[in-house]
Amino acid sequence: MQSHRRLPAALCLSFAALTALVVAAPWLAEESSIRGLDGQAWFLDHPQRWEAMPLPPRLAYTLGDLVCHQKEERSYLLHGNQMPVCARDLGLLAGMAAGFALTVAAEPRARLVDSAAGLLHVRTKKMLVVAVALLLAPLTIDGFLQLLTAYESTNVLRSATGLLFGLGVSLLAGILLLTDPRLE
């Protein structure tokens, strides 16, 4: 593998593995034993709940506890258990994996705009800005509507907007990683 593709490939595999772990964790825990995880993001709310778990679900739930609010009504239930992260974060993880996968498959270019154009199949900088904005806008709009109004989106919509946002962010990061200044 070419050296400039190693980091995007590693990020792709990392996000894919993390997504798989988050989906598998509820199945690896005792059925219907994990509910009511509501807490705050960027704070470890329930460390004592994860201590007795086997390592894979313990890792997923500890990480989810740390980075996600884990509101039950905004999370999916699998095997009777609440997932380690909310629906939007699940979409973000999957979108990040997909975006880095596309980056690995893309043709490297010398200039940033050429890499972006090739990856997103656009011809101009203006089209690039529009393409990225279209990927990032839905989560931004949905999130702010929920924050500022009584509107409450569905988990399917949260997952979809998270997927698009994760795809957009990882494509942007991938474009930066793909741009190889040694290429002429």
Side-chain angles (χ1 to χ4, degrees), residues 40-44 62-70 84-85 89:
Q40 38 185 329
W42 305 110
F43 183 79
L44 202 54
T62 300
L63 183 61
D65 192 3
L66 181 62
V67 301
C68 182
H69 58 68
Q70 295 181 309
V85 296
D89 287 352

Side-chain angles (χ1 to χ4, degrees), residues 7 34 75 79 181:
L7 183 56
I34 304 169
S75 301
H79 193 58

Side-chain angles (χ1 to χ4, degrees), residues 40 66 72 82 84 89 92 98 101 106 108 122 131 141 145 173-174 176 184:
Q40 38 185 329
L66 181 62
E72 186 168 344
Q82 184 177 334
D89 287 352
L92 282 165
V122 297
I141 292 166
L145 279 174
L176 292 172
E184 296 296 330

Side-chain angles (χ1 to χ4, degrees), residues 120 122 125-142 160-169 171-172:
L120 297 175
V122 297
K125 287 181 185 179
K126 185 175 182 180
M127 289 175 69
L128 172 62
V129 170
V130 169
V132 170
L134 288 174
L135 291 170
L136 301 181
L139 181 143
T140 307
I141 292 166
D142 188 56
T161 60
L163 182 89
L164 293 173
F165 196 89
L167 185 64
V169 168
L171 285 174
L172 283 175

Side-chain angles (χ1 to χ4, degrees), residues 71-137:
K71 291 182 180 177
E72 186 168 344
E73 70 274 7
R74 292 186 179 184
S75 301
Y76 294 114
L77 297 177
L78 297 177
H79 193 58
N81 290 320
Q82 184 177 334
M83 291 189 73
V85 296
C86 68
R88 190 171 328 265
D89 287 352
L90 177 63
L92 282 165
L93 289 171
M96 295 291 283
F100 283 119
L102 288 173
T103 299
V104 171
E107 182 66 31
R109 307 292 171 107
R111 294 182 12 211
L112 177 63
V113 71
D114 293 334
S115 290
L119 191 57
L120 297 175
H121 301 291
V122 297
R123 293 190 177 118
T124 66
K125 287 181 185 179
K126 185 175 182 180
M127 289 175 69
L128 172 62
V129 170
V130 169
V132 170
L134 288 174
L135 291 170
L136 301 181

